Amino acid sequence: MSRIRALIIALGVWLLGGLSTTSAHPHSWIDLRVNVKFNENGEITALEQRWLMDPFASALWLDGMDRDMPEAAREEKLDQAAAEALERVSRHDYFTKVKHGDEEIPHAKARNPKLESDQRQRLQLQFELVLEEPVDPGKAPLRYAVYDPTYYIEILHAESDSIRLQGGGLHCDLHIDSPSPDPQKVAYAASLGVDVQPDRDLGQHFAEWAEISCAQ
């Protein structure tokens, strides 16, 4: 098996569950950052997401790569793995739900996938999720949540600089609602072994919701 194929498989397994041998959900963690993109009319057009993976998951991914590989070849392999990862999560709506007021809105396919590592060798998956139609946050707040439906992976906004308003948002307010799951859901998640497939609505109970509202 080629190294790039091994990396892609490891990435897909991690995204869909299966790399941890411990019990209890979650098994992996992502620090989330989002650039909220505006057009010239003050409408939101896209959510550019950055998923910073935990050190253990990052090490598993990078283990299959030759440390002496030329930089250009390394970037090419990471780009291929990023594209494959995005294709996998597309089957689950990119782990993202978006609402305008109370109405759930569709989004087009994600684009521009990029996978890179920081100075601490933590991998970051980046992509841009384009809304099907621009949304006016002055008429109703835009709300989004990013979560793994099975709660195998916990996705929470980074502690600092987690949301940026790009190209607008001068008169906008940001707010992140922390999850408050029912204790029974917490106990259920804690009881799950690595090979158990939980209900696919489990993750929503542990999801953060971010809200952007703007003055007209």
Side-chain angles (χ1 to χ4, degrees), residues 1-15 61 64-65 76-88 115:
M1 182 184 296
S2 68
R3 285 194 176 95
I4 180 57
R5 183 61 180 163
L7 180 61
I8 288 173
I9 290 175
L11 175 54
V13 170
W14 173 78
L15 285 170
W61 283 30
M65 297 192 69
E76 181 180 357
K77 292 184 183 300
L78 288 174
D79 286 345
Q80 291 181 43
E84 178 71 13
L86 208 59
E87 175 62 27
R88 287 178 180 271
L115 187 64

Side-chain angles (χ1 to χ4, degrees), residues 17 19 24 31-34 41 46 49 53 70 76 87 91 102 114 116 124 131 134 150 166 172 195 212:
L19 287 183
D31 292 332
L32 173 68
R33 286 187 167 86
V34 177
N41 297 320
Q49 301 187 29
M53 301 162 199
E76 181 180 357
E87 175 62 27
R91 307 166 195 171
D102 294 328
K114 184 73 175 177
E116 55 191 4
Q124 177 176 266
L131 303 183
T150 69
Q166 183 175 335
C172 297
D195 296 325
I212 300 99

Side-chain angles (χ1 to χ4, degrees), residues 57-71:
S58 298
L60 285 171
W61 283 30
L62 293 171
D63 186 57
M65 297 192 69
D66 188 345
R67 295 184 181 275
D68 297 326
M69 182 184 300
E71 186 64 26

Side-chain angles (χ1 to χ4, degrees), residues 75 156 168:
E75 290 183 2
L156 297 175

Side-chain angles (χ1 to χ4, degrees), residues 196-214:
V196 176
Q197 290 294 324
D199 298 334
R200 294 202 63 83
D201 69 344
L202 180 61
Q204 66 179 327
H205 300 284
F206 297 87
E208 291 180 325
W209 279 91
E211 179 176 294
I212 300 99
S213 57
C214 304

Side-chain angles (χ1 to χ4, degrees), residues 53-188:
M53 301 162 199
D54 66 73
F56 179 68
S58 298
L60 285 171
W61 283 30
L62 293 171
D63 186 57
M65 297 192 69
D66 188 345
R67 295 184 181 275
D68 297 326
M69 182 184 300
E71 186 64 26
R74 176 188 175 91
E75 290 183 2
E76 181 180 357
K77 292 184 183 300
L78 288 174
D79 286 345
Q80 291 181 43
E84 178 71 13
L86 208 59
E87 175 62 27
R88 287 178 180 271
V89 295
S90 71
R91 307 166 195 171
H92 307 279
D93 295 324
Y94 307 100
F95 288 177
T96 305
K97 183 173 289 188
V98 184
K99 293 184 176 183
H100 188 213
D102 294 328
E103 180 183 358
E104 188 170 341
I105 61 174
H107 42 68
K109 277 192 172 183
R111 64 187 184 187
N112 302 329
K114 184 73 175 177
L115 187 64
E116 55 191 4
S117 59
D118 64 11
Q119 294 179 346
R120 295 170 294 171
Q121 292 296 293
R122 289 182 66 183
L123 282 175
Q124 177 176 266
L125 177 65
Q126 176 180 324
F127 60 93
E128 184 178 15
L129 192 61
V130 182
L131 303 183
E132 193 172 80
E133 297 289 343
V135 168
D136 186 351
K139 293 182 178 178
L142 179 135
R143 303 176 69 237
Y144 71 82
V146 181
Y147 61 92
D148 172 9
T150 69
Y151 196 48
Y152 188 95
I153 306 168
E154 182 176 69
I155 306 174
L156 297 175
H157 288 83
E159 291 184 358
S160 62
D161 197 28
S162 59
I163 303 177
R164 292 184 177 182
L165 305 181
Q166 183 175 335
L170 292 178
H171 305 287
C172 297
D173 293 322
L174 295 173
H175 180 72
I176 298 177
D177 287 324
S178 298
S180 55
D182 185 284
Q184 291 185 341
K185 293 294 183 182
V186 176
Y188 172 63

